[in-house]
Amino acid sequence: MIIQYDREQLRGLINNLFDLTGISLSVLDADYQLLVHCAHPNDFCTLLQSVDGESENCKKCDQRILKKCSRSGKLEGHICASGLYDSAMPIMKHNTIVGYVIMGRVRSERSPAVLQHIPDTDVKTVGKLKRLYNQLPSLTAKQLTALYSLLPSVLFDNAIHIVYDPLVNEIVEYIEEHLKEELTVTAICSRFHLSVNHLYDLFRENLDRTVNDYITQQRILLAKTMLVSSNKTVYEIAENVGIVNYPYFCKLFKKKNGMTPSQFRKNSKKC
């Protein structure tokens, strides 16, 4: 599996988002290496990082939230050491983390700027930091969640690509087009004229998971989308994603997401 990043397209997209929101944005690859970054050149963080030791503190803060995000596989946020709200989200392709986006430099009304660690002798810097802090954008949790929900389609669908073995691409497309139907390893092998062992090897080498795991993950992902975007009952959604055993669907969904389908739908409407 090879991950390809279109840096120029990513840079243009996050520049546009920065112009709209004023929020600092960084896109990193799957190994936490910076791909593109956009932020105001003379803001709170830029001045703060010029103070001895603060640049290293900021890096450690980013590393902590990225590791937390990597472990959970979902959006994570925290208040940084200086009182700003930072958040990170994994970029997912076929249920594989291919990168991360960090949004930062957002003013938090719950936790104003924390400047006690700046030397008392540097009164001028502290005063300027306080002024710059109050100029930072402030978004509600609901606004941040809405912005993150747009990022996959706005930013990443056309700017980050996974290159698989061509045959794996064909099989993945076939699976995604037939999720509502009964999908078995035997049927897939027959359709693509493969042995079971060859199919297993292809998925392990390219997707780092079994065929059945991939099918299950795609079905749960489709179910989550339908729970948020449709008025269908949970029972209907279970059938629509190819899991006709309703109790099993609910049990599987809770195992993968930590909550029942109904709870997931209810929580999504709160955002």
Side-chain angles (χ1 to χ4, degrees):
M1 178 180 72
I2 300 172
I3 306 172
Q4 296 178 337
Y5 305 93
D6 187 332
R7 289 175 183 260
E8 288 307 309
Q9 187 173 18
L10 285 169
R11 184 174 291 107
L13 289 166
I14 69 166
N15 282 340
N16 288 337
L17 282 169
F18 175 75
D19 289 340
L20 285 170
T21 65
I23 294 175
S24 166
L25 285 156
S26 299
V27 181
L28 295 80
D29 66 18
D31 297 317
Y32 307 142
Q33 299 302 306
L34 182 66
L35 294 169
V36 291
H37 172 70
C38 186
H40 196 283
N42 297 306
D43 68 358
F44 175 89
C45 290
T46 303
L47 178 59
L48 181 67
Q49 289 172 16
S50 68
V51 177
D52 288 346
E54 290 306 308
S55 180
E56 189 62 30
N57 288 338
C58 290
K59 288 180 182 178
K60 289 179 180 178
C61 203
D62 285 346
Q63 289 169 357
R64 283 196 297 272
I65 195 171
L66 281 169
K67 288 180 180 179
K68 187 176 179 181
C69 182
S70 177
R71 288 193 298 269
S72 70
K74 62 182 182 181
L75 172 65
E76 297 287 354
H78 68 185
I79 304 295
C80 78
S82 297
L84 298 181
Y85 182 78
D86 290 333
S87 50
M89 182 185 76
I91 307 168
M92 307 292 292
K93 289 278 189 176
H94 304 305
N95 291 298
T96 298
I97 296 178
V98 297
Y100 301 87
V101 58
I102 295 179
M103 282 201 297
R105 308 188 184 196
V106 178
R107 182 162 45 90
S108 171
E109 295 178 357
R110 292 178 300 155
S111 178
V114 180
L115 303 174
Q116 289 89 338
H117 51 302
I118 307 298
D120 293 336
T121 53
D122 200 348
V123 177
K124 186 177 179 180
T125 297
V126 172
K128 189 173 182 180
L129 281 169
K130 288 180 178 178
R131 290 194 299 274
L132 289 173
Y133 178 86
N134 291 325
Q135 294 171 13
L136 289 169
S138 176
L139 297 183
T140 65
K142 185 176 181 179
Q143 289 172 319
L144 284 168
T145 301
L147 183 56
Y148 267 120
S149 70
L150 293 172
L151 288 177
S153 57
V154 173
L155 270 180
F156 311 126
D157 281 358
N158 299 311
I160 300 177
H161 307 276
I162 295 180
V163 180
Y164 300 118
D165 180 298
L167 181 55
V168 173
N169 273 331
E170 290 183 39
I171 298 171
V172 164
E173 288 178 8
Y174 176 81
I175 288 172
E176 292 179 356
E177 290 171 1
H178 295 82
L179 285 174
K180 297 179 182 180
E181 305 166 18
E182 184 179 0
L183 281 170
T184 65
V185 170
T186 301
I188 294 171
C189 287
S190 176
R191 169 67 177 74
F192 291 93
H193 310 292
L194 299 171
S195 69
V196 172
N197 286 339
H198 189 187
L199 181 64
Y200 284 161
D201 288 343
L202 282 171
F203 269 70
R204 274 196 298 268
E205 292 169 5
N206 287 271
L207 298 174
D208 194 27
R209 68 203 67 200
T210 69
V211 185
N212 287 325
D213 281 346
Y214 180 79
I215 293 172
T216 297
Q217 288 167 351
Q218 291 304 109
R219 282 175 165 160
I220 295 299
L221 184 61
L222 178 58
K224 289 169 69 174
T225 300
M226 294 177 73
L227 284 164
V228 173
S229 62
S230 79
N231 292 320
K232 292 184 177 182
T233 66
V234 176
Y235 183 85
E236 289 172 326
I237 290 173
E239 287 191 329
N240 285 169
V241 300
I243 305 177
V244 295
N245 185 324
Y246 177 70
Y248 174 70
F249 168 74
C250 293
K251 181 179 179 180
L252 183 63
F253 190 97
K254 185 174 182 179
K255 180 180 178 181
K256 297 292 183 181
N257 297 284
M259 64 183 76
T260 67
S262 297
Q263 288 170 334
F264 179 85
R265 170 175 272 171
K266 184 178 180 180
N267 286 351
S268 68
K269 290 181 179 179
K270 290 180 181 178
C271 297

